[in-house]
Amino acid sequence: MSLISDDRRDAWRAALACMVALAVAMGLGRFAFTPMLPVMLHEGKLDLQAGGLLASLNYLGYFLGALSCAAIRVRPASMVRGGLVATAALLLGMGLLQGFVAWSILRTAAGVMSAWTFVFASGWGLRRLAETGVPALGGVIYAGPGIGIAVTGLLGGAVGRWGSEAGWIGLGLMALVLVAAAWFVFGDGAQAHAAATTAPVAGSAPAKATALRSDARWLVGLYGLAGFGYIITATFLPVIARHALPGSPWPDLFWPLFGLAVVPGALIGARAPLHWDNRLLLAVAYLLQALGVVLSVVWPTIAGFALGSLLLGMPFTAITFFAMRDARRLRGNSSSGLIGYATASYGVGQILGPLFAAPLAQRTGSFTMPLLVAAAVLTVGAMLFACVWWQSRSSSTSAGG
């Protein structure tokens, strides 16, 4: 009984530490730019196109960091700790340094740190939960970005009232406090990790191995569509809402609402039974996000933006959880490489989103067309996931028959 209690306590320690890590790396390191962008636009430090470029540079860093994960042989706990400290330093740098060149370097580096922290914290945390027999706590881990987004959305705008420099420095100091709180937990399970096997799933017949490789390629490709589909709204939501609702206090609250919606979405997603097909779950999640994006176009009111933020946020890290779960289905304990490639694909989508949206919005004076394209991309992704599932099911039935 004591062993079960110890395992459950260790599982909660791991889940909460990874939740904090993702809140810092993703919620603060990556998405603090969303609530800070309107402040920097108002101060005249950036225009919309320069803001879009900074966002894309961050996502370029995320892509490069994710792509490098497959080649990195450093202990996951060390990668997480290093990424967290660097994220806090880079947030502070955004307030202490001035100029587009400096910000470009900082935002690119922040993207690299976000990817490293995300991939290695995910791998470390899911392995610890498997070791302790409580895999359902994975939802706690992936609630982290939502909590971070909600905090940055609420505090970023408030602190930004004293200027963008004070906002960035305040967020950097907050990150340091959170890193200190989770630091020592990442030493748990070091011996178990050293002994863990990294061999691929054993006993696969050649035909099955070929099917698994095909599934892996589809996962990598289609996961990138999710990156493009959500990022335009995620980058420019406060700007879009302020344009549609001039003078309203609500635009600053839609981004925190998005973040808060991530938390129940992650927790509910983690409760999805293991026998439910991840590809179908991803298809449903993509459609929900597509609907959330469309609502900001067809119903640009307080209610429309609020509902759209909820529909965009709830599947946000549930999509990540289902994709990571599918990677483990395909690669078992050696899934880090596949997770890295899938995350890199996601990063490509995120790079292209702002580069496509910002110039078009600046020329037309509206985000309508970029948002409709984003919704269409998510819908196509959902249809393709459903087709891949159906093809796999049909092949299994034929083989069984």
Side-chain angles (χ1 to χ4, degrees):
M1 186 63 141
S2 175
L3 181 61
I4 294 175
S5 298
D6 288 346
D7 281 348
R8 190 163 187 83
R9 185 191 66 231
D10 289 346
W12 271 103
R13 277 171 54 86
L16 291 172
C18 290
M19 180 189 76
V20 170
L22 296 192
V24 171
M26 309 292 285
L28 277 71
R30 289 190 61 209
F31 292 118
F33 187 69
T34 298
M36 294 305 298
L37 177 58
V39 180
M40 298 177 79
L41 291 172
H42 179 73
E43 292 173 342
K45 293 181 177 179
L46 294 171
D47 60 22
L48 189 58
Q49 195 157 347
L53 181 56
L54 280 182
S56 287
L57 286 172
N58 180 253
Y59 307 141
L60 173 62
Y62 190 77
F63 165 75
L64 295 174
L67 202 59
S68 68
C69 286
I72 293 174
R73 295 294 179 262
V74 180
R75 287 178 60 245
S78 299
M79 290 298 298
V80 175
R81 285 169 167 168
L84 291 174
V85 171
T87 296
L90 292 165
L91 287 168
L92 291 170
M94 286 294 293
L96 296 173
L97 302 177
Q98 295 298 312
F100 185 79
V101 173
W103 292 334
S104 297
I105 295 170
L106 292 170
R107 293 309 296 159
T108 303
V112 174
M113 295 305 116
S114 294
W116 284 353
T117 304
F118 170 78
V119 171
F120 286 99
S122 292
W124 183 90
L126 293 176
R127 177 184 57 78
R128 286 294 294 151
L129 296 184
E131 290 169 355
T132 51
V134 196
L137 288 182
V140 175
I141 294 176
Y142 293 106
I147 293 171
I149 288 169
V151 169
T152 57
L154 292 171
L155 295 185
V159 177
R161 297 181 196 283
W162 289 291
S164 58
E165 294 94 340
W168 285 112
I169 291 170
L171 293 170
L173 294 174
M174 181 191 307
L176 284 174
V177 172
L178 293 171
V179 170
W183 184 268
F184 292 103
V185 181
F186 288 102
D188 291 357
Q191 293 179 344
H193 173 71
T197 178
T198 58
V201 179
S204 295
K208 183 177 181 183
T210 300
L212 292 178
R213 283 194 296 272
S214 176
D215 283 355
R217 286 193 292 268
W218 277 110
L219 175 64
V220 170
L222 296 184
Y223 193 47
L225 299 184
F228 181 92
Y230 94 95
I231 198 60
I232 295 172
T233 307
T235 301
F236 299 110
L237 179 58
V239 176
I240 295 169
R242 285 186 182 194
H243 185 266
L245 303 169
S248 170
W250 275 91
D252 289 336
L253 299 177
F254 295 130
W255 182 241
L257 183 62
F258 168 90
L260 289 174
V262 170
V263 178
L267 296 175
I268 293 168
R271 306 300 298 183
L274 291 175
H275 65 272
W276 286 11
D277 195 284
N278 297 309
R279 293 160 295 189
L280 277 183
L281 293 171
L282 284 163
V284 172
Y286 278 34
L287 287 176
L288 287 174
Q289 283 205 318
L291 180 57
V293 173
V294 166
L295 279 175
S296 63
V297 175
V298 301
W299 196 14
T301 64
I302 292 173
F305 279 116
L307 184 56
S309 298
L310 291 172
L311 289 174
L312 191 71
M314 284 194 69
F316 177 56
T317 54
I319 286 173
T320 299
F321 181 76
F322 298 145
M324 300 306 103
R325 195 169 81 167
D326 209 45
R328 286 183 62 82
R329 173 183 72 87
L330 297 168
R331 293 289 187 268
N333 283 336
S334 59
S335 61
S336 292
L338 180 54
I339 290 174
Y341 290 130
T343 304
S345 174
Y346 197 82
V348 170
Q350 293 178 131
I351 294 167
L352 297 176
L355 289 177
F356 164 74
L360 183 57
Q362 196 149 344
R363 284 198 304 270
T364 63
S366 169
F367 277 91
T368 296
M369 185 56 66
L371 290 172
L372 290 176
V373 171
V377 167
L378 285 166
T379 302
V380 168
M383 293 170 63
L384 289 174
F385 264 127
C387 288
V388 172
W389 166 80
W390 180 258
Q391 184 180 32
S392 174
R393 184 173 178 270
S394 299
S395 298
S396 298
T397 303
S398 299

